[in-house]
């Protein structure tokens, strides 16, 4: 297992893609998969914003506007996640529509983050610092998971707190 923050973030991104595939398969227990995705997405975003983004803003070759944009996209993801969590019937057309909106919002963010922030960090941030950030990121993420950060009430509060970040 690696401590490199970039590799840890990328591993989470691949997990999200796997969970999206599972959510699209209506033979799965979608409520259970959504609960896991919700917890993982929220924990990941909060750990990035607490430990990774502030550190990356300090590196000159990493675009601070891209980092801020990443936080805005987290807020958009929280809104899309909340909309999906609030629909109880996982076999409904409405649920499918909101799943698609969530997938699009998160995949857009993952693509941008990987092409901009993470590529810049790979080129700019020394290995030792990336390992330190990886340890902090993993600890923060696990703390959020242990706190039950993916439940509906918490996501509601989070969406309300971060709504003003969305750049319209």
């Amino acid at each position: 297992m690696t401590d490199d923050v970039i590799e840890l973030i990328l591993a989470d991104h691949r997990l999200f893609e796997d969970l999206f595939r599972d959510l699209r398969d209506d033979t799965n227990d979608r409520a259970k998969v959504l609960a896991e995705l919700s917890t993982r997405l929220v924990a990941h975003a909060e750990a990035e914003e607490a430990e990774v983004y502030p550190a990356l803003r300090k590196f000159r070759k990493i675009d601070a506007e891209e980092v801020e944009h990443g936080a805005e996209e987290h807020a958009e993801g929280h809104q899309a996640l909340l909309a999906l969590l609030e629909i109880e019937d996982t076999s409904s057309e409405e649920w499918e529509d909101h799943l698609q909106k969530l997938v699009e919002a998160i995949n857009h963010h993952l693509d941008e983050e990987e092409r901009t922030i993470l590529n810049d960090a790979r080129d700019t941030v020394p290995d030792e610092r990336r390992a330190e950030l990886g340890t902090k990121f993993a600890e923060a993420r696990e703390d959020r998971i242990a706190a039950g950060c993916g439940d509906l009430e918490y996501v509601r509060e989070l969406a309300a707190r971060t709504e003003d970040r969305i750049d319209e």
Side-chain angles (χ1 to χ4, degrees):
M1 185 155 134
T2 181
D3 287 355
D4 185 325
V5 69
I6 295 169
E7 297 308 316
L8 292 171
I9 290 171
L10 290 173
D12 279 1
H13 289 182
R14 301 300 76 84
L15 173 64
F16 302 152
E17 292 166 353
D18 290 344
L19 291 170
F20 286 146
R21 272 191 290 281
D22 290 345
L23 283 170
R24 286 188 170 118
D25 181 349
D26 63 6
T27 64
N28 286 325
D29 181 344
R30 288 173 148 181
K32 182 179 177 182
V33 176
L34 181 57
E36 180 180 355
L37 177 68
S38 180
T39 297
R40 296 289 180 170
L41 274 175
V42 170
H44 175 92
E46 290 190 324
E48 275 186 340
E49 290 182 29
E51 300 298 339
V52 181
Y53 284 5
L56 294 182
R57 282 186 182 100
K58 296 176 183 176
F59 286 87
R60 279 185 310 216
K61 292 186 180 179
I62 296 178
D63 188 338
E65 288 181 21
E66 286 295 338
V67 175
E68 184 57 35
H69 184 65
E72 291 167 4
E73 289 181 344
H74 285 168
E76 292 169 3
H78 300 324
Q79 297 294 327
L81 176 61
L82 175 60
L84 184 59
L85 286 169
E86 289 182 328
I87 301 168
E88 291 182 25
D89 182 358
T90 62
S91 64
S92 70
E93 188 71 29
E94 182 184 20
W95 195 90
E96 295 284 350
D97 290 345
H98 283 283
L99 172 61
Q100 186 58 34
K101 289 175 186 173
L102 175 62
V103 168
E104 288 173 5
I106 299 302
N107 282 342
H108 171 81
H109 170 68
L110 302 183
D111 177 59
E112 274 194 3
E113 186 176 69
E114 289 175 17
R115 284 185 299 108
T116 59
I117 298 169
L118 298 182
N119 276 342
D120 289 348
R122 187 178 281 117
D123 294 339
T124 305
V125 180
D127 292 348
E128 183 177 298
R129 182 67 176 131
R130 287 180 11 207
E132 290 170 11
L133 288 174
T135 299
K136 289 180 178 182
F137 169 77
E139 288 172 358
R141 183 184 58 195
E142 293 310 310
D143 287 348
R144 299 307 310 135
I145 290 170
C149 66
D151 73 32
L152 177 59
E153 286 309 311
Y154 186 81
V155 175
R156 268 194 193 121
E157 292 170 19
L158 180 61
R161 268 196 329 261
T162 60
E163 189 172 23
D164 63 334
R165 279 194 208 161
I166 299 174
D167 185 28
E168 303 204 25

